[in-house]
Amino acid sequence: MSVEGFMGRWRLHLLIALAVLFLWPCLAGSARAGLTEDLNRCAAETDDAKRLSCYDKVAGHTQPANAAVIPEIVPTEKPVQPVFISMMERLWDLDPESRKHSPPIRPYRPSYILLATYNNTPNENTQLDVDPDAKADSKEVKYQISGKARIIPDGFLGEHIDVWLAYTQTSFWQLYNSAFSSPFRDTNYEPEGIITWRTNYDLFDLGLLNGRMINLGFDHQSNGRARPSSRSWNRVYAEFGFEKVFNRTNRESGRNEFNLYIKPWFRIPESTGSDDNPDIDAYLGYGEILGVYYWRDHRFEIMFRNNLRINRNKGAVQLGWSFPLPFHWLAHDRISGYIQYFNGYGESLLDYNASSNRIGIGVMLPTWSW
């Protein structure tokens, strides 16, 4: 090669090198600007899968055709807490789901024992036992056991009708009256047959009370004693049950609801010769009203009845409060403390025409634990 040819090629390579040297910063800056723009675009993508795919494209990676597709992870919503069952629904199997798993025997009236009661007006006009000198003491034990059971299968009498058999026994025990062998002063036996019609309506459309049931019942009550201490009567009644639930969807705050029972009755007449207590209506009246307020693990009750007579007005009121016990070793979720006050007529059949003024303290089987 001649010297002139070599110098010509050398000049050409030199010019190319100088051109690259001067143009490279511009080309590199442009490339960096484009890369930065692509990375910012990928970073702005909110979807995880799409953002990863964007980065792969910028980096020049491609996903094989047979590669496994990673499913998109969708956060699950917090499960909705189930609506809790109210006390009236539990006691009378009004909820269609809970009634499928209800036990065969349900609570009816409260079951309790008042270990110590004091009545400052004991009935001294009745014979305590066969000893004519035996007198009732002001201090005694009072207890009650009560339960009911559904006896007709679901749907047999219609979609909203149940049939129950119920039993209540209330006893008055002169435990502290050792001078006369601590006898039972009186025991009342009360079997019932009840037809329940399950309802669900807003009373007067005011949003205050919801009508949940109507009971039609037959009630026999007696003390199983011979004359002159024998007492008994039969009656039919209608009972209307209403409830107000204040926090149905917020179970964590505890139970907060009110139940109202309105129960008028009609005594079935007896013949004069077999009637041991012909004037019982004049003292026990023609019905009763029961209000129960449940707040957390407390139960407050008030019962009221009256004969609705202007002259010789008679009636009764009963107040009750059951509360949780502080002693955990006593299975406090199954036993609660109970205080009861009664004033008026008809606390027992033997005392239907004698006024009682009694206060007592003991324990109760709380219905909310069933």
Side-chain angles (χ1 to χ4, degrees):
M1 178 182 294
S2 64
V3 176
E4 290 82 358
F6 174 80
M7 293 299 294
R9 290 187 177 181
W10 182 84
R11 292 188 184 96
L12 177 61
H13 287 298
L14 181 59
L15 290 174
I16 292 174
L18 291 173
V20 172
L21 181 62
F22 284 105
L23 293 177
W24 176 254
C26 298
L27 295 174
S30 177
R32 284 196 301 269
L35 179 60
T36 302
E37 182 180 351
D38 290 339
L39 292 176
N40 291 336
R41 178 170 51 83
C42 293
E45 180 62 57
T46 57
D47 185 88
D48 292 341
K50 292 181 180 180
R51 184 169 58 253
L52 179 60
S53 177
C54 179
Y55 283 131
D56 286 341
K57 290 180 180 179
V58 173
H61 296 295
T62 57
Q63 187 178 21
N66 60 350
V69 178
I70 300 176
E72 180 181 357
I73 300 176
V74 180
T76 57
E77 296 182 359
K78 185 179 180 180
V80 179
Q81 295 294 331
V83 176
F84 81 103
I85 307 303
S86 71
M87 280 306 305
M88 191 173 292
E89 288 171 335
R90 295 181 66 182
L91 291 174
W92 291 95
D93 282 348
L94 303 180
D95 180 72
E97 291 301 321
S98 64
R99 66 188 281 113
K100 297 177 183 178
H101 311 287
S102 62
I105 299 179
R106 308 289 290 160
Y108 181 36
R109 297 173 185 169
S111 295
Y112 60 84
I113 178 170
L114 299 176
L115 299 171
T117 72
Y118 180 79
N119 180 11
N120 65 357
T121 58
N123 186 2
E124 298 179 351
N125 297 323
T126 56
Q127 185 176 344
L128 187 60
D129 56 18
V130 294
D131 185 349
D133 296 326
K135 297 296 181 181
D137 189 10
S138 296
K139 302 178 294 296
E140 65 183 356
V141 173
K142 175 184 177 181
Y143 68 83
Q144 178 172 282
I145 56 174
S146 183
K148 65 180 184 295
R150 275 195 293 133
I151 61 172
I152 299 296
D154 281 348
F156 186 81
L157 294 178
E159 182 179 358
H160 303 288
I161 296 178
D162 291 323
V163 179
W164 305 80
L165 285 181
Y167 177 75
T168 303
Q169 178 176 316
T170 308
S171 295
F172 300 82
W173 181 15
Q174 292 271 296
L175 176 63
Y176 309 107
N177 195 351
S178 57
F180 297 102
S181 300
S182 303
F184 278 83
R185 186 175 60 85
D186 197 26
T187 296
N188 296 167
Y189 310 94
E190 191 171 0
E192 297 179 56
I194 307 169
I195 298 176
T196 299
W197 179 28
R198 304 191 301 274
T199 62
N200 194 357
Y201 63 92
D202 188 349
L203 182 64
F204 305 127
D205 293 326
L206 297 176
L208 299 177
L209 290 173
N210 194 27
R212 297 308 314 274
M213 64 173 213
I214 299 175
N215 285 339
L216 301 177
F218 171 81
D219 185 316
H220 168 78
Q221 187 180 26
S222 64
N223 65 354
R225 300 179 68 170
R227 291 183 176 180
S229 299
S230 173
R231 303 285 186 271
S232 67
W233 66 326
N234 299 311
R235 50 186 167 159
V236 292
Y237 64 82
E239 183 176 42
F240 304 87
F242 305 92
E243 70 173 2
K244 175 64 177 180
V245 180
F246 298 96
N247 58 347
R248 184 177 288 272
T249 59
N250 185 9
R251 190 66 182 91
E252 294 181 357
S253 63
R255 190 171 294 280
N256 186 4
E257 55 189 285
F258 174 71
N259 291 177
L260 177 65
Y261 298 91
I262 300 176
K263 182 180 179 181
W265 60 62
F266 173 76
R267 185 192 180 190
I268 299 176
E270 299 181 38
S271 62
T272 304
S274 62
D275 196 345
D276 298 321
N277 32 252
D279 58 345
I280 193 170
D281 286 341
Y283 294 91
L284 270 71
Y286 306 96
E288 69 180 22
I289 298 175
L290 172 65
V292 184
Y293 177 57
Y294 300 92
W295 179 73
R296 298 184 182 273
D297 291 333
H298 298 257
R299 178 184 183 274
F300 305 89
E301 67 176 25
I302 178 170
M303 182 277 297
F304 176 78
R305 59 175 177 249
N306 193 272
N307 63 6
L308 303 179
R309 301 183 182 185
I310 298 177
N311 297 323
R312 300 190 63 189
N313 184 264
K314 307 290 183 182
V317 61
Q318 178 174 295
L319 306 176
W321 171 36
S322 60
F323 49 90
L325 294 173
F327 312 110
H328 294 277
W329 54 272
L330 283 176
H332 67 286
D333 59 334
R334 294 290 176 178
I335 300 176
S336 63
Y338 184 47
I339 296 176
Q340 184 189 90
Y341 172 73
F342 181 92
N343 182 272
Y345 294 86
E347 185 182 19
S348 74
L349 284 179
L350 195 62
D351 300 333
Y352 83 92
N353 57 357
S355 179
S356 299
N357 185 39
R358 180 193 307 276
I359 188 168
I361 186 169
V363 294
M364 172 188 284
L365 296 179
T367 54
W368 54 80
S369 66
W370 289 61

